[in-house]
Amino acid sequence: MQPTISTSFLSQHDRDAMKLLANDRLFVLTGAGVSAESGLATFRGSGGLWNGHRVEDVATPEAWDADPELVWRFYSMRRRDALAVEPNAAHFALAALEDQLADRYYLCTQNVDDLHERAGSRNIHHMHGSLFQSRCVECERPFGDRSFYETASTLPKCRDCGSPVRPHIVWFGEIPLDMEGIYAQLDRATVLLVIGTSGCVYPAAGFVRIARQRGIRTIYAGPEEPENAEAFDEIILGAATEVLPKLTLK
Ligand code: OAD
Ligand code: ZN
């Protein structure tokens, strides 16, 4: 079945269709698109490039093994970028929704920035890691870290064991964090709302099919259809800051 597609200039009928029921249990998945209007470039939007490098060439275990300085320069720059921007109306709308739904709300983000937290979200899981955390490659315990490491001589070492410290980021070829917890949440949800992700990076791009198999309502919001569009019941075309503030409880 084809999804219902509407624009974010909603008719009353569309607005009613977008309402959540007070006893809904909402699973939200966000991607780079939710931070785009804060000024952070999406992967697609930047052509997947950074300083002439393909993102895949700086966001893999192989890149880390070959050139940790390059990898740390990349993530230091992303830390700088994230520190320079503010959460937008979409981040705030999601935090407000969490206030209403309380423990019937779960936010899983593919984003490594902290804009959801800064907008007030609490129950949030960063499946691809967190920009402002690092971890020792041996001890593996993540810790808060807002520093920039941009030259070989400043690359961080573990205080406990002296091993290299890496960004606490899930790279291509690594397994996203706490998949078990994510699937448990998907299992209890009554609505899956996906926002601003191109639907081509797995396993996140597969959540909608799992939700669909369970027969729950699936909604996508973003300015263009994602690659996995056919798996959604409803697609709302529009920027996250336009669509999300209109999402309300019945
Ligand atoms: P992409 O850059 O692949 O896709 C960004 C999506 O955001 C696109 O579908 C755009 O249409 C949408 N978008 C753009 N502006 C928007 C707006 N104002 N409001 C809503 N949506 C908007 O980013 P992701 O799908 O998040 O993984 O990328 C998924 C993963 O691939 C990332 O987490 C990262 C990357 O490689 C890792 O680093 C492991
Ligand atoms: Zn260590």
Side-chain angles (χ1 to χ4, degrees):
M1 211 176 68
Q2 291 298 310
T4 316
I5 300 185
S6 55
T7 66
S8 63
F9 301 103
L10 299 167
S11 66
Q12 191 54 46
H13 173 269
D14 290 335
R15 276 173 177 270
D16 286 344
M18 259 175 73
K19 279 187 177 150
L20 300 171
L21 303 174
N23 57 356
D24 268 327
R25 188 174 275 282
L26 182 65
F27 183 120
V28 180
L29 171 69
T30 60
V34 83
S35 296
E37 291 164 270
S38 290
L40 293 179
T42 62
F43 297 90
R44 292 279 171 105
S46 56
L49 289 179
W50 169 68
N51 277 1
H53 299 278
R54 292 187 318 145
V55 170
E56 290 85 344
D57 294 339
V58 281
T60 60
E62 292 75 23
W64 172 254
D65 289 342
D67 194 346
E69 185 187 341
L70 177 77
V71 172
W72 263 125
R73 280 217 311 277
F74 175 63
Y75 286 102
S76 298
M77 175 215 62
R78 293 190 60 189
R79 283 181 180 178
R80 275 186 207 286
D81 288 349
L83 285 170
V85 301
E86 299 295 333
N88 64 47
H91 298 106
F92 285 112
L94 287 173
L97 210 53
E98 180 177 5
D99 282 343
Q100 290 181 285
L101 288 169
D103 62 352
R104 285 176 293 109
Y105 175 95
Y106 173 76
L107 171 60
C108 177
T109 184
Q110 298 169 86
N111 298 344
V112 297
D113 67 57
D114 61 350
L115 295 179
H116 282 303
E117 284 90 338
R118 282 161 58 192
S121 280
R122 294 178 306 273
N123 191 5
I124 170 168
H125 174 56
H126 285 271
M127 65 179 291
H128 289 165
S130 301
L131 197 49
F132 296 107
Q133 288 191 313
S134 304
R135 69 171 193 264
C136 165
V137 298
E138 294 299 331
C139 308
E140 299 219 306
R141 243 187 336 273
F143 58 91
D145 186 2
R146 303 175 91 79
S147 305
F148 310 117
Y149 307 111
E150 289 165 320
T151 60
S153 60
T154 61
L155 296 192
K157 293 265 192 280
C158 176
R159 283 189 200 153
D160 294 330
C161 76
S163 300
V165 165
R166 61 168 272 182
H168 185 49
I169 298 280
V170 176
W171 288 326
F172 287 95
E174 297 183 323
I175 299 168
L177 305 173
D178 191 24
M179 289 307 299
E180 219 173 292
I182 294 175
Y183 289 133
Q185 291 287 345
L186 257 184
D187 236 20
R188 326 160 60 196
T190 61
V191 179
L192 171 70
L193 170 64
V194 179
I195 306 145
T197 173
S198 49
C200 53
V201 175
Y202 285 81
F207 293 173
V208 61
R209 292 198 179 82
I210 295 172
R212 213 182 167 116
Q213 275 168 3
R214 290 195 46 239
I216 68 169
R217 184 177 172 201
T218 54
I219 311 170
Y220 178 82
E224 58 194 352
E225 289 187 29
E227 279 195 22
N228 54 359
E230 81 299 336
F232 286 91
D233 300 319
E234 299 158 56
I235 292 189
I236 303 161
L237 291 179
T241 57
E242 279 175 55
V243 176
L244 291 185
K246 293 177 187 156
L247 198 71
T248 49
L249 287 178
K250 228 169 209 160

